[in-house]
Amino acid sequence: MRFHLLATFSCLFGTLVQSSPTFNQKTLVSLRIEGADKTIFEGEVLTKGHDITTSLGGTHHCDGTNNGANPNPGPTPNSALDDAANFRHFSFDGAFFPEFDDFLISSINGEANTDTQFWTTLVNFQFIPVGGCQQEVHFNDEILYAFDGFAKAHILKLSGPFTARKNHPVIFTVIDGSTGAPVAGADVDGQTSGIDGKVSVTFAKVGVNGVKAQKDDSIRSNQVNVVVVP
């Protein structure tokens, strides 16, 4: 009987240890940086909350506990930005505001805020309600830094096949990632989406073809890589 009780306790204790939350672990997220005219970065980043240093702001913590936003430290959009910048060797800058205990990102890769255009930060296609060091992110979250994002009509999201045959049309879909509504008039590899957001694309080149959706009044989309076979 005593053996069974000890075994049961050991099993329960092990389950509790395994299910106990862990904080500020390195976490895989998707990061995309859309400048005015081009994509600066798009890829996966392994990040955790850490100190960040900028020319304008100096060195400060950036782990989700900023301004008391979260009780425990964790990865943030700005920590992912910092890790990507160090990995890909592009620059970013931002002043630090003690009253918010956070950075305001003012330039990325030399593209700086103006009097009317600003860098904006989104997570899973939604503008974050707090600063980029206060917002915590989780596994597979999609982080987007978009220049002049507040002025755009749509935040484009592209989906479609990952394989295609040469000279055989395939269908892509363009939606507004923040609402799920289809977007008409977006360009995908030279073709234009219809009212249902659908667009037919035919690839003439064998190999990997990367395509994005673009529209003058919108933030350009994520890239879909299509492997085209003969």
Side-chain angles (χ1 to χ4, degrees), residues 51-126:
D51 287 354
I52 285 178
T53 301
T54 68
S55 296
L56 289 173
T59 301
H60 302 276
H61 72 132
C62 185
D63 61 6
T65 64
N66 297 62
N67 207 33
N70 296 280
N72 298 292
T76 68
N78 283 354
S79 73
L81 173 64
D82 184 60
D83 287 328
N86 290 329
F87 172 71
R88 193 60 67 87
H89 305 295
F90 62 83
S91 63
F92 74 95
D93 205 356
F96 186 84
F97 291 83
E99 61 270 35
F100 301 113
D101 193 24
D102 213 330
F103 291 90
L104 177 64
I105 302 302
S106 57
S107 71
I108 302 178
N109 200 42
E111 194 164 343
N113 292 348
T114 70
D115 290 340
T116 58
Q117 298 172 304
F118 311 95
W119 281 101
T120 56
T121 310
L122 303 91
V123 173
N124 299 327
F125 292 91
Q126 303 297 323

Side-chain angles (χ1 to χ4, degrees), residues 36-54:
D37 301 313
K38 66 178 182 179
T39 301
I40 296 171
F41 179 89
E42 183 169 359
E44 293 182 326
V45 177
L46 195 62
T47 189
K48 64 184 291 187
H50 60 264
D51 287 354
I52 285 178
T53 301
T54 68

Side-chain angles (χ1 to χ4, degrees), residues 129-200:
V130 293
C133 288
Q134 299 174 56
Q135 178 76 43
E136 290 192 346
V137 294
H138 305 92
F139 177 71
N140 268 352
D141 275 352
E142 298 180 70
I143 303 167
L144 170 62
Y145 286 84
F147 186 73
D148 199 26
F150 290 138
K152 303 303 184 182
H154 303 289
I155 306 160
L156 300 182
K157 182 176 182 179
L158 181 67
S159 61
F162 298 113
T163 60
R165 290 183 61 192
K166 178 181 176 180
N167 296 326
H168 283 68
V170 289
I171 302 298
F172 291 85
T173 303
V174 185
I175 64 171
D176 186 316
S178 64
T179 65
V183 177
D187 178 274
V188 180
D189 201 43
Q191 304 301 312
T192 304
S193 61
I195 194 169
D196 58 357
K198 305 289 185 183
V199 55
S200 177

